[in-house]
Amino acid sequence: MDLNKFKELLSVPTKTYKESKMVEYLISTIGDMDGVTLTCDEHNNIYAVKGTLGEGEFYPMFISHTDTVHELVDLIDVKEEYLLRPYTFGKDFGQEQVLCLKAYDKDGRPTGIGGDDKCGIYICLELLRQLDKVKVAFFVSEETGCHGSKLVNKEFLKDVGYCTQYDAPGDHLISYSCMGTVLFDKDGEFFNTAIRSITKGFGNEMMVQSHPYTDIMMIKQLSDLSCINMSCGYYNMHTANEFVCIDDVERSIQAGKNMVEDLGLKKYEFKTEPKPTTTTTTLFDDESPFYDDIHQLTSIDVIEEKDGFIIADIYDENQFYIDDEDGYKLYEILKERYRFNWPGAILNSVGLNRPGWVAIAITSLGVDKPYWRSPK
């Protein structure tokens, strides 16, 4: 690993909808690579291809996203520290301190390093450098609803054999599904080969779980590819104290290289059943501050963010961000429209209560504002 290059990338400020510096950094970095063809679409999604396929061959594809949840600051000072990795999605890392990178602002305050998903970006760049035949893509605005990846250039996927994303914390996670979208066949050749390759790369047992949304979900929904998402070494995601473990990132790169070696340049199809349609009516009309031509919600989840919330349609993953002030307005609208005026009422009727998510609990006694949270 080129630690200086990794620090340089981690010091690039980027936040959802404010990703221009990261996009410019990637265009410059990839542009300096030999033998790589680079394109950037009108949405600022970046696509890169390296190598020429032979007859019957398909590219392995790796993806990550260019935004983070952290506010932009004038300076991101990346420092090396020995830290304890916290309990993360089913794994206790014990009391061993490991070499990590953590970010501070110009006043020495933790500012959130954005390993979600700058770790994924660095890994994809390294695989682009090190592999002979590969495609990579970097999608904008994942954190508020996979807005970039749902507009992916489908032509770019036509000669892809399978797709891998690096956007999970720790060193032990594999996403089997994201928000109900199954990514691969657990009994198929792709996964049985990939799990051995990934386990060998990380050097420890991997946990196969269902996770919240990320871009690989959109790739799966828009293609017939086997897809997978895995850990890439970030911890305390979405907090000021987020950090990344250097060794975990290195092992993530090795896991990707192992996959390409073991899976070869083949296509691994995996077709899923289309999602069921719904007859639920739109929650908001055109006089509501939460309605527009794009975000026509039918049945919603609400995801807590630092300074606001994400409203998510559970049927098509259409999502958008609102701040705390509008979040309170939303609470008042729901309470008035659906007459949720009794203690502890759960919004089952608008689709908020389902496994893995904590629904809004609206009550008129002792609570001024609704409270909600999700795993991501």
Side-chain angles (χ1 to χ4, degrees), residues 86-97:
Y87 179 88
T88 302
F89 282 86
K91 182 171 180 178
D92 187 340
F93 291 88
Q95 296 302 304
E96 179 190 6
Q97 291 191 331

Side-chain angles (χ1 to χ4, degrees), residues 119-187:
C119 286
I121 293 173
Y122 181 79
I123 293 164
C124 287
L125 288 174
E126 281 301 301
L127 291 171
L128 185 60
R129 285 191 184 96
Q130 297 182 36
L131 296 173
D132 294 328
K133 298 180 182 182
V134 65
K135 283 191 170 186
V136 300
F138 305 91
F139 297 110
V140 297
S141 306
E142 181 268 355
E143 294 290 356
T144 57
C146 302
H147 298 298
S149 56
K150 69 176 56 172
L151 299 171
V152 62
N153 178 0
K154 294 181 184 178
E155 289 295 315
F156 192 75
L157 304 177
K158 284 190 173 180
D159 55 2
V160 171
Y162 58 91
C163 188
T164 302
Q165 180 159 15
Y166 286 98
D167 188 21
D171 71 342
H172 61 293
L173 295 175
I174 289 174
S175 302
Y176 167 65
S177 65
C178 295
M179 289 186 73
T181 297
V182 178
L183 302 177
F184 55 81
D185 178 3
K186 280 187 175 180
D187 298 320

Side-chain angles (χ1 to χ4, degrees), residues 45-214:
N45 294 322
I46 295 172
Y47 306 90
V49 185
K50 183 179 178 184
T52 302
L53 295 175
E55 185 177 354
E57 291 182 339
F58 293 85
Y59 288 106
M61 180 173 168
F62 297 91
I63 67 173
S64 56
H65 61 85
T66 57
D67 61 330
T68 77
V69 303
H70 303 295
E71 295 298 331
L72 301 186
V73 294
D74 294 334
L75 172 70
I76 299 177
D77 184 12
V78 178
K79 296 184 177 181
E80 297 179 32
E81 300 180 14
Y82 280 89
L83 298 170
L84 297 174
R85 290 172 291 179
Y87 179 88
T88 302
F89 282 86
K91 182 171 180 178
D92 187 340
F93 291 88
Q95 296 302 304
E96 179 190 6
Q97 291 191 331
V98 293
L99 183 60
C100 299
L101 299 175
K102 189 173 177 180
Y104 297 86
D105 64 17
K106 63 182 180 180
D107 298 315
R109 295 172 300 199
T111 187
I113 199 164
D116 176 8
D117 193 24
K118 293 179 187 177
C119 286
I121 293 173
Y122 181 79
I123 293 164
C124 287
L125 288 174
E126 281 301 301
L127 291 171
L128 185 60
R129 285 191 184 96
Q130 297 182 36
L131 296 173
D132 294 328
K133 298 180 182 182
V134 65
K135 283 191 170 186
V136 300
F138 305 91
F139 297 110
V140 297
S141 306
E142 181 268 355
E143 294 290 356
T144 57
C146 302
H147 298 298
S149 56
K150 69 176 56 172
L151 299 171
V152 62
N153 178 0
K154 294 181 184 178
E155 289 295 315
F156 192 75
L157 304 177
K158 284 190 173 180
D159 55 2
V160 171
Y162 58 91
C163 188
T164 302
Q165 180 159 15
Y166 286 98
D167 188 21
D171 71 342
H172 61 293
L173 295 175
I174 289 174
S175 302
Y176 167 65
S177 65
C178 295
M179 289 186 73
T181 297
V182 178
L183 302 177
F184 55 81
D185 178 3
K186 280 187 175 180
D187 298 320
E189 180 186 0
F190 169 77
F191 178 65
N192 286 327
T193 303
I195 186 64
R196 292 192 297 268
S197 306
I198 296 168
T199 300
K200 182 171 61 176
F202 279 101
N204 51 243
E205 183 179 358
M206 306 301 292
M207 297 182 181
V208 181
Q209 301 178 354
S210 295
H211 293 136
Y213 68 83
T214 191

Side-chain angles (χ1 to χ4, degrees), residues 282 284-293 337:
T282 300
F284 307 121
D285 60 31
D286 58 9
E287 296 180 355
S288 166
F290 308 106
Y291 179 93
D292 60 40
D293 291 338
R337 179 170 295 191

